[in-house]
Amino acid sequence: GMVIAKIEGGLGNQMFIYAAAKRLSVVNHVPLQLDVMSGYAEDNFGRSYSLNHFRINEDFAPDKDVRELNLGKRRNWQYHINKILPFRYKRFIREEKLFEPRLLDLKVTRKIYLQGYWQNENYFKDIEPVIRKSFEIISPIDKSHVELAKKINAANSVCIHARRLNYEYLLPAAYYDLAIKQMAGKIADPHFFCFSDDINWMRNNIKPDWPVTYIPNDNNFKDFGHL
């Protein structure tokens, strides 16, 4: 048996995917391999695999296994047969609901392929110490990151994120202004920290009456909405 997980989306998505797949491999005592290619072949935001910054068991799935098991775009007889099989016999498992409890009790006796974001802590809550250990950061920390962390920790900090580029659900400045005023009514002496893939838009449109720091989206600080 083996679990192969399709890694896709931003950093938060990748962490949920890994955690759910890791739990499935742990309880079944089978290896976990990651498909880090097919999820980014056509990513509109230029994102890429980012779990290498953590203390995970990094083992990449061979192309031949991915081609065999990833039925997501293959509308052929294998896909249709897999779709009608009982859950416990499926080799290609696609997320189809907010929470799939059958995944918790799945017995992995062959190679299976997971596709989905699996954004529910119940998929891995029972091995929380293992997951926390897996997500320890091992990459060197830039000095500018350390200084920003100190600044955030020293204030009554409120972080604001605006996703703007290549995104259809754009929120107007008035939305952020209202949110800022509501937070200021709940927190004494707030300091707002602004993150965005278009930080210039935030500088020109988000101007709180309280202290504010705009985080540059450059090589040191990447927009966390896209990572």
Side-chain angles (χ1 to χ4, degrees):
M2 177 179 294
V3 177
I4 298 177
K6 181 180 181 179
I7 304 298
E8 56 186 328
L11 180 58
N13 294 325
Q14 296 178 41
M15 294 172 73
F16 270 110
I17 295 167
Y18 179 87
K22 178 66 175 178
R23 187 265 179 192
L24 192 59
S25 73
V26 167
V27 299
N28 282 279
H29 307 287
V30 299
L32 168 62
Q33 292 188 337
L34 309 178
D35 170 16
V36 301
M37 299 299 296
S38 56
Y40 297 103
E42 298 178 357
D43 187 273
N44 294 329
F45 301 105
R47 296 171 297 193
S48 61
Y49 170 73
S50 302
L51 295 178
N52 55 301
H53 297 293
F54 299 113
R55 195 183 303 279
I56 67 170
N57 298 120
E58 194 173 53
D59 187 14
F60 300 126
D63 289 344
K64 62 180 182 62
D65 286 343
V66 172
R67 288 195 299 270
E68 175 188 355
L69 296 172
N70 182 4
L71 306 179
K73 293 185 177 181
R74 293 164 55 186
R75 298 297 187 263
N76 54 23
W77 63 272
Q78 289 178 308
Y79 174 85
H80 292 293
I81 289 178
N82 183 86
K83 192 173 180 63
I84 64 176
L85 284 174
F87 191 84
R88 65 184 181 274
Y89 295 130
K90 293 182 184 293
R91 299 189 68 192
F92 172 77
I93 299 177
R94 170 187 279 162
E95 181 182 29
E96 296 181 346
K97 58 179 69 174
L98 291 177
F99 179 63
E100 176 51 84
R102 293 178 296 178
L103 194 67
L104 300 180
D105 300 320
L106 182 65
K107 304 301 181 183
V108 180
T109 59
R110 63 185 75 185
K111 292 180 181 179
I112 66 168
Y113 186 96
L114 297 182
Q115 177 181 326
Y117 292 126
W118 315 108
Q119 294 177 347
N120 190 309
E121 69 171 345
N122 290 316
Y123 286 127
F124 51 84
K125 183 67 174 178
D126 56 349
I127 64 161
E128 180 178 338
V130 175
I131 299 304
R132 288 188 177 276
K133 183 69 174 178
S134 297
F135 289 147
E136 290 181 357
I137 298 174
I138 59 174
S139 296
I141 300 177
D142 189 279
K143 182 179 179 180
S144 57
H145 296 176
V146 176
E147 294 303 317
L148 176 61
K150 290 179 179 179
K151 187 174 181 179
I152 292 175
N153 287 330
N156 292 332
S157 301
V158 179
C159 291
I160 307 174
H161 175 252
R163 188 171 179 178
R164 307 293 303 175
L165 303 181
N166 299 321
Y167 194 61
E168 59 180 312
Y169 305 108
L170 298 180
L171 297 171
Y175 171 89
Y176 296 96
D177 290 338
L178 179 60
I180 288 169
K181 291 176 182 177
Q182 290 188 0
M183 293 303 296
K186 298 176 181 294
I187 300 173
D189 302 318
H191 187 132
F192 293 92
F193 292 84
C194 296
F195 298 80
S196 179
D197 55 357
D198 187 358
I199 199 64
N200 288 331
W201 182 88
M202 295 201 79
R203 290 181 188 274
N204 295 327
N205 293 276
I206 309 300
K207 300 178 180 180
D209 294 327
W210 298 268
V212 58
T213 299
Y214 301 96
I215 310 303
N217 185 23
D218 55 23
N219 290 331
N220 289 329
F221 296 102
K222 293 296 185 183
D223 166 39
F224 58 74
H226 279 223
L227 286 179

